[in-house]
Amino acid sequence: MSQPNRLKTGGRVDRSRQLTFTFNGQRYQGHPGDTLASALLANGVDIVNRSFKYSRPRGIVAAGAEEPNGIVQLGSTEAGQVPNVRATQQALYQDLSARSTNGWPNVQRDLMGLVGKLGGQFMPPGFYYKTFMAPASMWLTYEKYIRKAAGLGRSPTENDPDIYDHRHQHCDVLVVGAGPAGLSAALAAGRAGARVILVDEQEEMGGSLLSSRESIDDAPATTWVEKVLKELSELEHVTLMPRTTANGYHDHNFVTLHERCTEHLADLAPRAGGRRQVRSRMHRVRAGQVVLASGAHERPLVYAGNDVPGNMLAGAVSTYIRRYGVAPGNRLVLSTSNDDGYRSALDWAEAGREVVAIADARQNPDGELVEQARAKGIQIIAGSAVIEARGDKRVAAAKVAKIDIEGFKVTGPVEELACDTIASSGGFSPVVHLASHTGSRPTWNEELLGFMPSPVKGMTPTGGAHGVYALGQVIADGFKAGSAAGEACGFERQDASLPKVDERREGAAVALYQVPHQKATLRGPKQFVDMQNDVTAAAIELATREGFESIEHVKRYTAMGFGTDQGKLGNINGMAIAARCLGRTIPEVGTTVFRPNYTPVSFGAIVGRHCGELFDPERYTAMHQWHVENGAEFEDVGQWKRPWYFPRTVNGKTETMHEAVARECSAVREKVGILDASTLGKIDIQGPDAREFLGRVYTNKWAKLAPGRVRYGLMCKDDGMVFDDGTTSCLAENHFLMTTSTGGAATVLEWLEIWHQTEWPELDVYFNSVTDHWATMTVTGPEARKLMAELTDIDLDKDSFKFMDWREGKVAGVPARVFRISFTGELAYEINVQANYAMHVWKKLFAHGDKYGLTPYGTETMHVLRAEKGFIIAGQDTDGSVTPEDLGMHWAIGYDKPNSWIGKRALTRPDTKRTDRKQMVGLKPKDPSVVLEEGAQIVFDPNHAIPMPMKGHVTSSYYSPTLQSGFALAVVMGGHQKMGETVYLPMVDGQVHEAEIVSPIFLDPKGERQNV
Amino acid sequence: MFYIFCPYCGEHREEEEFHPKGQAHISRPEDPEATSDEEWGDYLFFRDNPRGVHHELWVHAVGCRKFFNITRHTVSYEILEVYKMGEQPSITAENYAAQQGAASADKERNASQAKHQEGVRA
Amino acid sequence: MSNAQQFDTRLVGEHAGEIAVESPLAYSMHRSGAPKAKADTTVTLRERAFLGHLTLRGGAIVLDEALRDVLGMSLPGEPLGLVQDEAGERSIQWMSPDEWLLIVPGGEEFDVERRLREALGDAHFAISNVSGGQTLLELEGEAAREVLMKSVAYDVHPRHFPVGKGVTTVFAKASVILRRPSEERWELVVRRSFADYTYRWLLDAGEEFGVGVER
């Protein structure tokens, strides 16, 4: 198939090789070096999309990131679908398959377009707010259809088979953009020896030089590019990253880069040497200095019909001709406010195509490029502009007329020039997006007619991004910026040996943003400001008339600069139109805030390898393999994987959790069970003031705890609220081992440290985490002593090794500390061994435990057993609003301790002394088969009108096989004084459960079982 | 993502190694029992939220585990200084304002303009 | 005396040899395997299990003196310093202004701790044995630095991370102690409960470099 718009010569494409691709199901051909956009233009494809709101046919406008229309869905398979790809940035590859994101049934014959044509009246700005707000309940219904109609791509429904990753980068100087300024900056910093990263979003480095008419050192500009790239690639500390977009600029020179590693090769990443390759990669860069060489975007002129396919940016026209060897039409009319626009007309003429006329908004254009155009015999109509493009699916003619910019009116007769392409140039806008990610607002420069980046610490804008446009000056400015950035990082300043670039005499530009039309903006044909979001000049004018004065409000009301566009193309025009309507200047109106990401980033790259099995750390205990092999179901407790319960399979039938837990509970209450308790936090506390410190951080007393003894402790914050609990053992006079809850391990250690380091540095004490050093197994139940006796040399006599004692000895031949503490209420031994020996000890216990009915149990059984005893779990039964008094744990509060321990003072505040605080109680459902829902709200009067006053809630609730009943722990207002009273729990389904307030200790209130 | 100089490790480290712990220099009353309920409530619950210079307590949690202070500008997020526990800041809201005084004439002039520029940040 | 308890957990007695000892990576090796190095492997991973790890807390001057007495080694002179004895078998790493990590050949830690306690006498210090709670992984090969760049936010460029430096830092979503004892070799001291995650992460990060595990 032919490529009607492909020029015979010129450009950087490889005409010797053909690439076949499909667009909307149609097959086309292009060449290596093409983008999808250049290949579509080469094939004469005018319509690439339908617009978002009005469904108007749209064609390619730009040649880079600012492209608003050529946004396609990529991928030939479902798993390979990629939305939001700019055709102007996507390299062409063999078998590339792309589709338009809008348009139904297709972009050529779009039925939505009929609505769109009417839509002028039906879809004013704020349309969604005005139309779909009432009734509010219907929004969800509306939204579905709006989103469907809106298009803008879809996500794949199958898993992406490719891999993505992250890389952390550090450098002295990060140079963003490898055009003339960036290359020059990288050279200066690189020669100085700095660690330099040079990134550029395009396939090839060189930026504007790849399509430049100018020469450097009397050779084509691309020769200089090659020379510089060669030198940079030979510098050891310089990293070159093409196909990499700097997408976000964050605090303290932290920049995220999105590198597309294989997306120019195929839909999915090809394998290399049999191994998976990374498809795209997020680099997280911490840079000493950032040189912002992101260039400038050409500003379009806003005129009627400026969105009809065939309307393009002047610079884009040049790029397609010079870089890709594609002339995107035959007859050109150029509308410009400055000299630069002339380049497109010259390139067009040199490509052998007809330049119909140049409409120059200036009264007396006189720059060098103007003269070159005159010399070629091109007609120049001064003081005029294209006021309207005619045509439906392609430009058919340009209406040109004299205009009065100041008076914002058409002053002369309208001439209609037949043409198929209209190029426009309204000057340049520095690409300030990255700089403004940091929160710095760009500043208007009246001389340059553009917003400049405001100062950001450690950032230097250069070249186009700095408002420097003449090539020679750009190279010099870049070198200066690179050298200064290197110097700021401690490297030597570099002397510039700059290449020779001819200076060009340039005529002054005029400020023209919106071209007047014979009709007033609100009544005339549509003039598009933001094509991606379908925002017109009239919409902005209407917004200002409706009272939106802040540009940020105008943005939200009209959607200008929203989404992936982030105001790249028409934003300044929009500000200018708002300014005109409000009778203000552009700097008074200001800009909106540009946000990351600069261009869309795939979720894969954001996630990197933090997915699937590597999504989050899974922490394992030393006995994990045994649990896996013995069929444990696991529960996530923080990052730990803890056995939840151990279902048995008998005759091919596997127990439910309920059955397994009932069996495990009975085993502990009647025989002996074993729990892997290794996840409990363990803190080794040493120092002469260790005891004093414990007395200050725990609510209870520690002065007299002797070596060999263990005590339960409750920890409060200084507001008097319980935040963790656990046992602490006295190992020696100045040596304690503290245990914390599983989830509280890190928090408690940091808590101890903050008090030690900030309030009591005079106390001589050190804290070290030994959580992972010790493995802990709890052997508990009436038969525990018999089992232990078979394996240990420790004297287990109940009078010499009492409850709340610990002893040292051997268990299964391994040195161990054994603690007689109990979280089940049964006789219990908590065995601590060095973790490397734990599996041996665990297995030995089972080898000897069979005859006693040793049963492994998990966290669910642990919860039931402890709740039966009324033992709290910090974080489950407490929520930062519960005092030790509320828990009924007066016995653990040392009001008479000599120091003002943490939390003490707060316990005498009026609020903590209220008698109607939520207090911990037990709840016994009237129907024993009922297991109350955790979190269920408690009311006193079930007949009270809704909303009922809520008097408390359930914190823990289980079925107890021992009690043969459901039971719960709860907090109830004034609960301690309400024993025996009935409360009610209304459920979502309309049921109301009844329960009796009882003591939270359901079993063995005297604690006799654990003391045997 | 801040880049924070740890005064103990002696080098800049990534923010993810640190935990912020709120306003710095909140010291516990010497004798809590002697404080009024109001004074104790102030100590527990009331914190400054300045636009500008702020002193904060941070800990190098995944690192040396030491606490230290940061003087940070809450608008620019610039870290103006770091200092160890027990030390006092050299930059405060007062002397920072004086330091910036030279440039303040400029700022005044731009203030009316800024009013229009500051829109809703969503 | 410091009046703290030292607990010697060495296996002794006639059946000591029958007790299976499992390193923190035992389960990981069982589950994820240990890929062998290939011809084009550019990074290798090795666990050095069962070493003696002691956390030393105290003032630099007294600890330095005690260490010179007991081991003939000095504390590193600077923050983030790592020193080794000549054989490379014993190392001391700065962890914090009052904390150092001492790693010695497995089994030696009990004797070292006892002698240090004696040498330190009444000084205020703490020694915690954490040998069961962490393990040491070695990463070697030309791609080792790239594997680390995928894993840690810390700058591992030789200009910033010379031989003789060690830091505690974030590793993927966990944390590690990362040290550079020699030009070619990096060491990761990993907490036991995070060892499996770290190992799987390293295998994954090393895949493109044909990572090989030496056992």
Side-chain angles (χ1 to χ4, degrees):
Chain A
M1 196 182 286
S2 66
Q3 299 175 38
N5 287 338
R6 182 77 68 184
L7 298 169
K8 292 269 180 305
T9 56
R12 302 177 65 76
V13 293
D14 177 3
R15 285 184 181 73
S16 69
R17 286 169 58 207
Q18 301 275 332
L19 297 174
T20 307
F21 67 102
T22 64
F23 179 68
N24 287 335
Q26 183 82 40
R27 289 174 73 80
Y28 299 101
Q29 275 169 346
H31 300 296
D34 264 328
T35 60
L36 174 58
S38 68
L40 287 170
L41 288 171
N43 284 280
V45 177
D46 294 333
I47 303 173
V48 295
N49 232 331
R50 285 279 171 165
S51 77
F52 170 64
K53 187 162 145 187
Y54 302 113
S55 228
R56 291 167 67 110
R58 290 280 166 79
I60 302 282
V61 167
E66 70 275 36
E67 172 60 34
N69 296 331
I71 294 173
V72 300
Q73 178 90 16
L74 215 61
S76 52
T77 60
E78 183 55 33
Q81 291 297 306
V82 185
N84 262 326
V85 174
R86 280 159 174 69
T88 49
Q89 295 189 297
Q90 176 60 51
L92 195 68
Y93 53 79
Q94 180 63 30
D95 297 329
L96 178 148
S97 168
R99 303 198 77 84
S100 304
T101 49
N102 286 331
W104 182 82
N106 60 54
V107 288
Q108 291 295 329
R109 274 178 45 77
D110 182 299
L111 294 179
M112 292 295 281
L114 291 175
V115 182
K117 292 246 168 70
L118 300 166
Q121 271 67 46
F122 292 116
M123 296 178 87
F127 172 68
Y128 298 135
Y129 306 113
K130 287 170 181 163
T131 314
F132 295 114
M133 282 314 286
S137 60
M138 280 298 286
W139 169 248
L140 290 176
T141 312
Y142 295 140
E143 194 188 10
K144 257 182 241 164
Y145 292 97
I146 292 169
R147 297 232 181 266
K148 186 175 172 172
L152 294 183
R154 65 181 185 86
S155 46
T157 54
E158 288 176 13
N159 279 348
D160 185 341
D162 274 335
I163 57 169
Y164 301 81
D165 78 0
H166 290 169
R167 203 162 281 206
H168 301 276
Q169 300 272 9
H170 300 259
C171 63
D172 297 310
V173 182
L174 171 68
V175 183
V176 177
L183 286 171
S184 182
L187 205 54
R191 281 179 185 165
R195 289 165 67 188
V196 177
I197 296 176
L198 173 63
V199 296
D200 193 278
E201 62 181 356
Q202 300 199 36
E203 295 293 309
E204 278 188 274
M205 291 193 163
S208 62
L209 297 178
L210 299 175
S211 52
S212 174
R213 296 176 62 78
E214 294 178 79
S215 38
I216 303 178
D217 283 340
D218 300 318
T222 48
T223 309
W224 183 77
V225 172
E226 282 159 28
K227 200 178 111 210
V228 172
L229 286 174
K230 182 167 181 297
E231 180 176 346
L232 288 172
S233 65
E234 285 163 0
L235 290 169
E236 189 192 341
H237 298 293
V238 175
T239 308
L240 301 177
M241 295 174 61
R243 289 187 204 95
T244 304
T245 309
N247 267 306
Y249 188 0
H250 306 269
D251 301 319
H252 305 174
N253 272 355
F254 183 77
V255 183
T256 50
L257 310 178
H258 179 216
E259 180 187 16
R260 295 167 297 280
C261 308
T262 70
E263 289 177 9
H264 59 298
L265 299 174
D267 271 8
L268 299 175
R271 298 216 155 207
R275 295 192 191 120
R276 293 184 297 178
Q277 279 191 92
V278 169
R279 171 149 145 199
S280 76
R281 175 175 282 149
M282 178 84 88
H283 296 264
R284 300 155 65 92
V285 185
R286 184 67 73 176
Q289 294 283 315
V290 171
V291 174
L292 192 65
S294 47
H297 283 155
E298 191 168 24
R299 215 152 45 213
L301 292 174
V302 171
Y303 48 90
N306 60 337
D307 68 324
V308 176
N311 283 288
M312 295 179 84
L313 288 171
V317 166
S318 285
T319 301
Y320 286 115
I321 294 172
R322 300 189 65 87
R323 182 165 170 190
Y324 300 102
V326 174
N330 290 304
R331 294 161 60 82
L332 176 81
V333 171
L334 166 69
S335 187
T336 184
S337 68
N338 58 76
D339 278 12
D340 275 298
Y342 279 74
R343 288 191 280 204
S344 62
L346 295 170
D347 290 333
W348 192 273
E350 284 162 22
R353 307 281 166 121
E354 181 190 353
V355 177
V356 179
I358 297 175
D360 193 321
R362 299 172 295 182
Q363 294 303 328
N364 298 298
D366 67 344
E368 260 181 55
L369 290 172
V370 180
E371 280 161 19
Q372 285 179 34
R374 280 204 185 98
K376 283 193 192 294
I378 297 173
Q379 183 197 357
I380 298 170
I381 312 169
S384 75
V386 170
I387 63 163
E388 183 176 348
R390 299 293 304 271
D392 182 10
K393 292 176 177 176
R394 174 85 197 198
V395 169
K399 284 185 168 181
V400 176
K402 296 266 183 202
I403 56 164
D404 170 1
I405 299 176
E406 290 287 305
F408 191 61
K409 59 183 186 224
V410 172
T411 55
V414 178
E415 188 183 356
E416 194 163 316
L417 303 173
C419 64
D420 62 5
T421 307
I422 300 172
S424 79
S425 175
F428 289 91
S429 303
V431 179
V432 298
H433 293 70
L434 281 177
S436 66
H437 289 174
T438 63
S440 96
R441 296 241 165 182
T443 346
W444 181 255
N445 183 314
E446 189 59 42
E447 200 179 324
L448 293 162
L449 301 174
F451 279 98
M452 297 292 139
S454 290
V456 175
K457 203 181 173 199
M459 186 275 287
T460 314
T462 184
H466 193 202
V468 178
Y469 299 130
L471 182 57
Q473 287 169 34
V474 167
I475 293 176
D477 193 56
F479 200 90
K480 201 175 115 206
S483 174
E487 218 182 338
C489 297
F491 296 89
E492 263 185 42
R493 180 201 299 269
Q494 295 298 297
D495 293 323
S497 54
L498 296 172
K500 180 170 132 304
V501 179
D502 291 333
E503 269 191 48
R504 206 181 60 220
R505 186 173 52 78
E506 209 162 328
V510 289
L512 179 59
Y513 307 98
Q514 182 192 5
V515 178
H517 192 268
Q518 303 115 295
K519 292 184 184 165
T521 303
L522 284 172
R523 289 195 309 276
K526 287 191 172 61
Q527 302 176 313
F528 283 89
V529 175
D530 176 341
M531 290 190 222
Q532 192 185 122
N533 295 299
D534 251 1
V535 179
T536 61
I540 294 170
E541 185 161 335
L542 195 59
T544 61
R545 286 194 184 193
E546 291 185 11
F548 293 92
E549 296 192 2
S550 159
I551 195 65
E552 292 285 10
H553 290 159
V554 171
K555 169 180 170 173
R556 276 152 190 79
Y557 198 54
T558 61
M560 174 177 70
F562 259 42
T564 64
D565 180 66
Q566 285 297 304
K568 291 185 189 71
L569 191 64
N571 228 44
I572 306 300
N573 302 69
M575 320 276 156
I577 292 164
R580 173 178 67 72
C581 297
L582 293 166
R584 294 194 191 132
T585 63
I586 294 177
E588 277 170 355
V589 167
T591 64
T592 53
V593 175
F594 306 110
R595 290 191 173 76
N597 286 318
Y598 177 65
T599 47
V601 179
S602 60
F603 278 105
I606 293 168
V607 170
R609 298 302 299 140
H610 297 277
C611 58
E613 280 218 312
L614 296 169
F615 174 65
D616 206 38
E618 288 180 2
R619 298 179 70 182
Y620 298 149
T621 72
M623 287 80 89
H624 188 79
Q625 188 173 343
W626 190 94
H627 305 324
V628 172
E629 287 168 356
N630 284 272
E633 292 291 334
F634 289 91
E635 180 183 26
D636 291 336
V637 184
Q639 291 172 323
W640 288 98
K641 286 280 175 199
R642 296 195 71 178
W644 191 11
Y645 58 99
F646 291 84
R648 275 191 190 160
T649 303
V650 182
N651 298 331
K653 192 178 167 292
T654 304
E655 285 175 328
T656 61
M657 178 165 97
H658 183 76
E659 290 162 350
V661 169
R663 175 179 51 73
E664 291 171 15
C665 285
S666 304
V668 174
R669 293 272 179 245
E670 291 158 22
K671 293 171 184 163
V672 60
I674 185 166
L675 175 80
D676 180 352
S678 306
T679 61
L680 290 180
K682 299 176 235 10
I683 301 169
D684 190 47
I685 304 177
Q686 298 179 34
D689 294 323
R691 192 180 289 275
E692 168 67 20
F693 196 91
L694 289 176
R696 295 189 192 185
V697 296
Y698 274 131
T699 61
N700 48 340
K701 296 179 187 175
W702 295 84
K704 291 188 180 135
L705 188 73
R709 293 288 289 160
V710 187
R711 184 162 291 171
Y712 172 80
L714 209 50
M715 248 180 232
C716 285
K717 297 216 162 165
D718 232 347
D719 60 3
M721 305 302 155
V722 170
F723 97 101
D724 207 64
D725 66 344
T727 60
T728 290
S729 307
C730 182
L731 301 180
E733 184 53 33
N734 294 344
H735 194 177
F736 294 83
L737 181 68
M738 175 186 280
T739 66
T740 73
S741 62
T742 295
T747 325
V748 171
L749 182 60
E750 193 172 286
W751 179 249
L752 302 180
E753 289 286 0
I754 195 172
W755 283 93
H756 185 225
Q757 291 181 37
T758 68
E759 282 293 336
W760 307 316
E762 72 281 4
L763 295 186
D764 282 343
V765 59
Y766 288 115
F767 313 96
N768 289 310
S769 170
V770 289
T771 302
D772 285 32
H773 178 66
W774 300 109
T776 305
M777 37 206 112
T778 304
V779 177
T780 179
E783 305 276 25
R785 185 175 284 118
K786 282 188 203 154
L787 170 58
M788 286 295 288
E790 290 193 20
L791 285 158
T792 184
D793 57 357
I794 298 171
D795 177 3
L796 298 174
D797 184 86
K798 69 180 168 64
D799 295 322
S800 53
F801 186 3
K802 292 195 284 284
F803 182 56
M804 299 309 265
D805 278 351
W806 71 269
R807 293 291 178 266
E808 197 175 290
K810 279 187 181 172
V811 176
V814 173
R817 284 192 188 124
V818 179
F819 302 79
R820 261 201 75 182
I821 49 181
S822 177
F823 199 43
T824 61
E826 300 296 327
L827 170 66
Y829 297 95
E830 221 169 86
I831 307 163
N832 271 17
V833 294
Q834 209 257 37
N836 292 342
Y837 312 135
M839 189 67 103
H840 163 83
V841 178
W842 181 268
K843 285 179 176 169
K844 275 281 179 205
L845 285 164
F846 277 94
H848 290 253
D850 220 24
K851 54 184 170 294
Y852 303 111
L854 181 65
T855 302
Y857 67 94
T859 49
E860 190 65 19
T861 294
M862 176 192 82
H863 277 152
V864 176
L865 298 173
R866 65 89 201 176
E868 288 173 348
K869 288 289 299 172
F871 295 151
I872 62 150
I873 288 188
Q876 172 158 349
D877 300 302
T878 68
D879 59 2
S881 72
V882 180
T883 69
E885 299 267 10
D886 296 339
L887 293 172
M889 293 169 80
H890 317 81
W891 52 270
I893 313 176
Y895 282 118
D896 56 348
K897 284 200 279 182
N899 54 44
S900 185
W901 41 270
I902 300 169
K904 181 185 180 188
R905 172 64 184 86
L907 293 180
T908 56
R909 297 181 76 232
D911 187 62
T912 43
K913 283 168 68 181
R914 274 190 296 117
T915 52
D916 64 342
R917 291 182 61 81
K918 284 186 176 181
Q919 294 165 337
M920 165 80 49
V921 295
L923 286 186
K924 202 165 176 195
K926 292 273 162 81
D927 175 353
S929 70
V930 165
V931 177
L932 301 170
E933 260 182 46
E934 288 179 354
Q937 294 294 322
I938 292 165
V939 302
F940 292 161
D941 177 7
N943 299 315
H944 193 287
I946 291 173
M948 298 181 187
M950 292 184 279
K951 300 294 188 181
H953 62 272
V954 176
T955 60
S956 294
S957 178
Y958 314 94
Y959 182 80
S960 162
T962 311
L963 303 169
Q964 302 271 304
S965 169
F967 73 107
L969 300 179
V971 285
V972 175
M973 287 182 177
H976 291 161
Q977 300 306 316
K978 293 189 186 300
M979 290 298 146
E981 290 183 22
T982 299
V983 293
Y984 302 89
L985 298 100
M987 305 310 294
V988 180
D989 63 2
Q991 272 198 86
V992 178
H993 296 307
E994 274 182 66
E996 185 191 340
I997 296 183
V998 296
S999 156
I1001 307 171
F1002 290 85
L1003 196 79
D1004 185 23
K1006 289 188 180 152
E1008 284 156 351
R1009 299 174 70 97
Q1010 66 200 9
N1011 274 317
V1012 294
Chain B
M1 288 287 286
F2 295 171
Y3 203 36
I4 300 171
F5 185 85
C6 171
Y8 299 98
C9 291
E11 62 177 27
H12 280 88
R13 304 287 276 262
E14 295 293 330
E15 182 182 332
E16 59 196 35
E17 293 185 5
F18 299 86
H19 294 165
K21 305 303 287 187
Q23 187 179 342
H25 307 296
I26 302 289
S27 61
R28 194 177 194 240
E30 279 294 321
D31 182 1
E33 262 56 49
T35 59
S36 68
D37 285 333
E38 194 182 347
E39 284 164 348
W40 190 252
D42 280 350
Y43 154 70
L44 284 181
F45 304 121
F46 286 82
R47 298 293 182 268
D48 298 335
N49 184 21
R51 182 186 166 90
V53 174
H54 191 224
H55 306 291
E56 301 168 344
L57 178 65
W58 286 69
V59 58
H60 194 183
V62 185
C64 66
R65 302 200 291 125
K66 292 296 177 209
F67 290 77
F68 62 97
N69 298 310
I70 283 178
T71 303
R72 187 172 70 89
H73 197 283
T74 58
V75 177
S76 69
Y77 287 8
E78 190 182 343
I79 293 174
L80 303 169
E81 64 177 337
V82 296
Y83 52 102
K84 295 179 181 177
M85 292 315 307
E87 296 176 354
Q88 291 301 311
S90 70
I91 298 168
T92 62
E94 295 72 37
N95 69 26
Y96 185 79
Q99 210 180 73
Q100 305 290 305
S104 72
D106 256 9
K107 272 190 187 154
E108 291 295 316
R109 192 157 41 76
N110 293 331
S112 58
Q113 184 176 316
K115 255 179 232 150
H116 291 299
Q117 288 182 14
E118 291 293 333
V120 178
R121 294 179 178 223
Chain C
M1 285 301 288
S2 60
N3 209 342
Q5 194 228 18
Q6 188 186 349
F7 185 24
D8 194 333
T9 55
R10 253 177 299 194
L11 301 177
V12 288
E14 53 176 325
H15 298 295
E18 296 160 21
I19 293 171
V21 187
E22 289 195 349
S23 90
L25 278 186
Y27 175 61
S28 310
M29 298 276 188
H30 167 79
R31 179 168 78 145
S32 309
K36 288 205 166 54
K38 298 160 208 74
D40 60 349
T41 288
T42 49
V43 64
T44 55
L45 179 63
R46 188 183 312 108
E47 183 190 14
R48 285 184 55 209
F50 312 127
L51 300 177
H53 299 240
L54 296 176
T55 296
L56 313 179
R57 304 292 302 268
I61 294 168
V62 288
L63 278 175
D64 185 62
E65 200 172 314
L67 280 161
R68 274 189 283 135
D69 280 358
V70 173
L71 285 175
M73 294 174 72
S74 291
L75 288 182
E78 297 286 328
L80 312 179
L82 169 72
V83 296
Q84 299 175 92
D85 66 358
E86 270 182 33
E89 287 184 332
R90 294 166 192 80
S91 64
I92 307 172
Q93 183 184 350
W94 184 98
M95 303 297 290
S96 172
D98 59 2
E99 179 176 345
W100 290 264
L101 174 65
L102 169 64
I103 299 185
V104 297
E108 198 177 296
E109 67 273 24
F110 302 101
D111 191 43
V112 169
E113 178 179 345
R114 185 181 51 75
R115 289 164 60 201
L116 282 172
R117 286 187 180 280
E118 280 167 18
L120 286 160
D122 285 334
H124 169 45
F125 70 95
I127 302 175
S128 296
N129 187 334
V130 291
S131 311
Q134 52 200 38
T135 192
L136 192 142
L137 305 180
E138 288 181 349
L139 214 50
E140 216 167 329
E142 60 184 270
R145 188 155 73 87
E146 277 182 88
V147 169
L148 289 173
M149 285 170 74
K150 291 167 76 167
S151 314
V152 298
Y154 194 81
D155 185 2
V156 291
H157 191 275
R159 279 189 188 171
H160 187 258
F161 208 133
V163 171
K165 189 172 185 177
V167 298
T168 304
T169 191
V170 174
F171 180 100
K173 286 185 186 161
S175 66
V176 295
I177 298 166
L178 177 64
R179 15 197 271 164
R180 189 152 181 235
S182 70
E183 285 292 336
E184 318 76 44
R185 204 170 77 243
W186 297 83
E187 290 179 348
L188 284 73
V189 181
V190 179
R191 282 182 70 173
R192 167 178 268 279
S193 54
F194 288 100
D196 183 77
Y197 169 75
T198 311
Y199 182 71
R200 281 190 283 120
W201 180 277
L202 285 169
L203 288 191
D204 184 85
E207 183 186 320
E208 61 180 299
F209 311 108
V211 63
V213 177
E214 288 178 13
R215 304 188 68 167

